[in-house]
Amino acid sequence: MAFRSPTADTAYRHALRLDDRTRALTDRFGWSVLLVDGGSAVGREFARGHRPAPADLVRFATVPDADGPGLTRRLGLDAHVPCLVICADVESRRVHVLPLADRTADEAHRRAQDWVEGFHEANHELLARWAGVEREARELVDVVSGPLWARRIRSTERSRDQRVLRKLAALTTSPPNDLAGVDAVLADPTDLPWGLVDALREIRGRIAGLDADLAARERMAGTAAELAAATDRQDVRRVLASLTADATARHALAPDTAAALTATRAALTRDDARDSRRWREENGPLFALPVFVAARHSWHWIAEQGRRWRETARHHRQRDFALFSGVLAAQPLEDPDAVADAVLTALAAHHGVTDEEEWTAAAVGFRAYLVETVGRLREAAPEGFTLVGHCLPNHPPPVRPLDEEERGLRDGLASRLARDAAARGAADDRREALAEVPALAEWFRAEPAARLEAGAPVPELADRSLVEALARLAGVLDGYEEAVRSVVHPHEADPAVIAVECPVGVAEAAGVVVGDSAVDRLREQVARTLAGHREAAGALPGS
């Protein structure tokens, strides 16, 4: 039956004795037979039921129809198809071919079966010898390398314990003032017990929370001082807003301080200026842009003197109104005549007036309006409203100082904040958390320290006779290639078989990478084991 495989590469690797699962020294003593039938009847019949029995060292495979033409072309064997391609060394360019065109499947089968039987008969002792060499070499490698691995493991464990003790050394001293030692250990927890790492992380997280609390209390102390220095409602509101936005500091407040904060905010954020605000809003139209523009018509030819080049009339009016509004708002309420004079003087300079008499005559009506309106504002203004701007909605009202009740709330809250900021609970908790670190580290230090002090016994090296036997086998492996060349292949003596020199080897033609051979791998294992033993033996006292 033809060999079947999911991929052509897998099929070829099996047929050419290159599949890694079964690699052995005797692989290169064997040979492979590839059936290239070219669609012939004799080839199909041979593939169906006339192949020799399978064997580990002699592999038979049918080349798929899709691969056959390409393989024979690369090997230069098109003229021999259908045929059996026989190769011992899959990298050699020399192959042997049994043409099938003039033969029956029975004849081809008999010849192939004779080759297989003759191969095993001629090479029985050679195959047994090298199978024994490989088996003995692998057994000796295991025996000699076992103590070496045990020594390496012991050395690795000892080094790990030493690294653990060095890391713990920074934690077993008196409690540090900072977390540098803990952070250094957590930055590289390699080799440390996870129980210790988890405990340190818990402590680190707890201290981080305490540090945040201490920082909040420092901010709280600054807030207390700032609040105590505040003299008006606006300043107090600003400080209270900052404290309210600081969630960490707010969480650290004592219950009575939190209650005082709520009471102070309620008292100082009341809309006790609602009536005056409504009055100010009602005053808005008195000096609005339409009023100013209507009055400006009385001196519009004079205003044109101050118009800038390429400035629109609309922008010019707005610029004049902005100056008027700013000057008016800054005037004291106590003297309406002085207010009117200051406003008109500023407008005259703004317009670039050159004829004072003309300007005075043009603005006389607006002056009278200013005197009368400012006078009404002065009579109706609440206490503390000293500027014209205080009476208008587009300008800030006067800053009202704190009354006696408000000062009491401010001082009470500031005193409580200063008291809470000075509380030492978080600082004490931080010191206690840091004090846990040395005790924890000492507890985890005990086990590795005890192992190092006790010192585990060093595994003894393999007996010298076994090492010498392995060294002798290393010398035997040096003769492997000569043994391969000594193999008897009966098919080469068959007169019906043709020797052909090909452009490439069979493995290359099939697209299969050969890789390391079994003997190369075994040699490397033996050499590495002997070198490791010499190194370990050289480190012994008296060596």
Side-chain angles (χ1 to χ4, degrees):
M1 175 174 74
F3 175 78
R4 303 297 180 189
S5 173
T7 66
D9 182 75
T10 302
Y12 279 128
R13 295 193 72 84
H14 176 82
L16 300 178
R17 296 158 285 127
L18 297 174
D19 42 346
D20 285 332
R21 292 182 295 105
T22 58
R23 298 294 286 275
L25 293 187
T26 53
D27 285 347
R28 288 184 58 193
F29 294 168
W31 40 284
S32 303
V33 180
L34 303 179
L35 169 62
V36 186
D37 61 24
S40 66
V42 63
R44 290 195 297 271
E45 186 178 356
F46 183 88
R48 278 197 301 268
H50 292 80
R51 290 179 45 198
D56 288 338
L57 297 181
V58 181
R59 305 281 178 88
F60 284 84
T62 299
V63 177
D65 292 340
D67 293 345
L71 180 66
T72 55
R73 184 175 60 255
R74 288 188 288 273
L75 291 173
L77 302 177
D78 288 341
H80 301 287
V81 177
C83 63
L84 296 178
V85 180
I86 309 114
C87 61
D89 184 350
V90 296
E91 294 183 284
S92 173
R93 296 185 180 185
R94 184 179 179 85
V95 301
H96 292 79
V97 176
L98 176 65
L100 299 178
D102 298 326
R103 291 179 174 82
T104 65
D106 286 339
E107 179 187 352
H109 171 265
R110 285 194 303 272
R111 287 183 178 275
Q113 191 64 47
D114 290 342
W115 300 339
V116 173
E117 294 174 357
F119 169 77
H120 284 290
E121 182 179 349
N123 301 295
H124 174 73
E125 294 183 1
L126 181 67
L127 296 175
R129 176 174 181 266
W130 280 96
V133 168
E134 180 175 15
R135 182 172 57 254
E136 185 180 1
R138 295 191 186 283
E139 290 175 354
L140 287 173
V141 164
D142 290 341
V143 172
V144 175
S145 63
L148 300 180
W149 282 110
R151 282 168 168 254
R152 293 191 188 102
I153 293 172
R154 179 183 180 279
S155 176
T156 300
E157 292 176 345
R158 184 176 180 83
S159 298
R160 184 180 63 237
D161 287 341
Q162 290 172 342
R163 289 194 299 271
V164 169
L165 292 181
R166 283 196 296 269
K167 289 182 178 182
L168 296 181
L171 305 177
T172 54
T173 57
S174 58
N177 293 326
D178 55 40
L179 293 167
V182 175
D183 289 340
V185 169
L186 291 179
D188 181 18
T190 308
D191 301 324
L192 293 176
W194 279 110
L196 171 63
V197 175
D198 289 342
L200 288 177
R201 284 174 177 164
E202 188 278 328
I203 293 173
R204 184 65 180 86
R206 197 176 350 138
I207 292 177
L210 294 170
D211 285 344
D213 183 87
L214 290 171
R217 292 182 187 277
E218 289 183 6
R219 296 194 300 274
M220 198 185 301
T223 300
E226 192 175 1
L227 182 62
T231 58
D232 58 62
R233 293 168 60 90
Q234 184 175 348
D235 283 348
V236 172
R237 286 173 177 172
R238 176 180 54 78
V239 176
L240 294 182
S242 175
L243 177 59
T244 303
D246 191 338
T248 307
R250 210 171 60 245
H251 180 73
L253 297 178
D256 63 326
T257 308
L261 172 61
T262 301
T264 305
R265 289 184 63 204
L268 290 172
T269 56
R270 288 197 302 261
D271 191 8
D272 56 357
R274 179 171 53 188
D275 293 338
S276 65
R277 184 171 65 252
R278 184 180 299 112
W279 177 73
R280 294 174 72 241
E281 290 173 351
E282 291 173 352
N283 295 335
L286 297 177
F287 301 108
L289 178 63
V291 174
F292 175 76
V293 171
R296 186 174 177 273
H297 282 300
S298 300
W299 68 83
H300 68 89
W301 70 92
I302 299 176
E304 283 297 316
Q305 297 175 168
R307 185 173 176 179
R308 296 169 181 171
W309 183 64
R310 302 185 69 176
E311 184 179 33
T312 64
R314 179 172 177 272
H315 186 270
H316 185 204
R317 289 194 300 272
Q318 292 175 337
R319 189 163 55 84
D320 291 352
F321 177 69
L323 176 109
F324 159 72
S325 298
V327 173
L328 175 65
Q331 303 308 310
L333 271 174
E334 59 186 6
D335 188 349
D337 286 298
V339 172
D341 290 341
V343 169
L344 293 177
T345 298
L347 283 172
H350 178 70
H351 294 323
V353 171
T354 57
D355 189 334
E356 291 291 339
E357 292 183 2
E358 181 185 30
W359 168 248
T360 301
V364 65
F366 188 53
R367 185 182 188 283
Y369 176 79
L370 289 172
V371 172
E372 179 187 358
T373 306
V374 172
R376 291 202 310 269
L377 291 177
R378 183 186 61 181
E379 297 302 323
E383 181 182 358
F385 282 52
T386 58
L387 301 177
V388 176
H390 291 164
C391 305
L392 302 176
N394 293 329
H395 299 276
V399 177
R400 185 172 69 79
L402 300 175
D403 60 27
E404 184 176 355
E405 179 186 358
E406 293 167 343
R407 287 195 298 273
L409 290 171
R410 176 202 64 185
D411 294 343
L413 177 58
S415 175
R416 289 179 174 86
L417 287 173
R419 179 203 65 196
D420 291 353
R424 302 304 301 168
D428 294 339
D429 291 344
R430 188 182 194 277
R431 281 193 296 272
E432 291 177 3
L434 284 172
E436 296 177 26
V437 174
L440 181 68
E442 186 61 37
W443 192 88
F444 278 96
R445 179 185 180 279
E447 184 176 346
R451 282 197 300 266
L452 288 175
E453 184 177 355
V458 179
E460 293 185 3
L461 296 177
D463 188 81
R464 184 171 182 176
S465 62
L466 297 176
V467 179
E468 292 175 349
L470 183 59
R472 286 195 300 271
L473 285 177
V476 173
L477 291 176
D478 291 339
Y480 177 76
E481 281 73 16
E482 181 62 31
V484 171
R485 289 191 291 269
S486 71
V487 175
V488 176
H489 294 292
H491 65 270
E492 296 180 359
D494 191 328
V497 174
I498 304 170
V500 181
E501 292 291 335
C502 302
V504 296
V506 175
E508 183 177 349
V512 176
V513 177
V514 175
D516 294 338
S517 66
V519 71
D520 291 334
R521 297 178 184 178
L522 184 56
R523 282 170 175 163
E524 182 182 356
Q525 291 175 348
V526 170
R528 188 169 57 244
T529 301
L530 292 174
H533 179 84
R534 285 194 298 270
E535 180 180 355
L540 294 177
S543 59

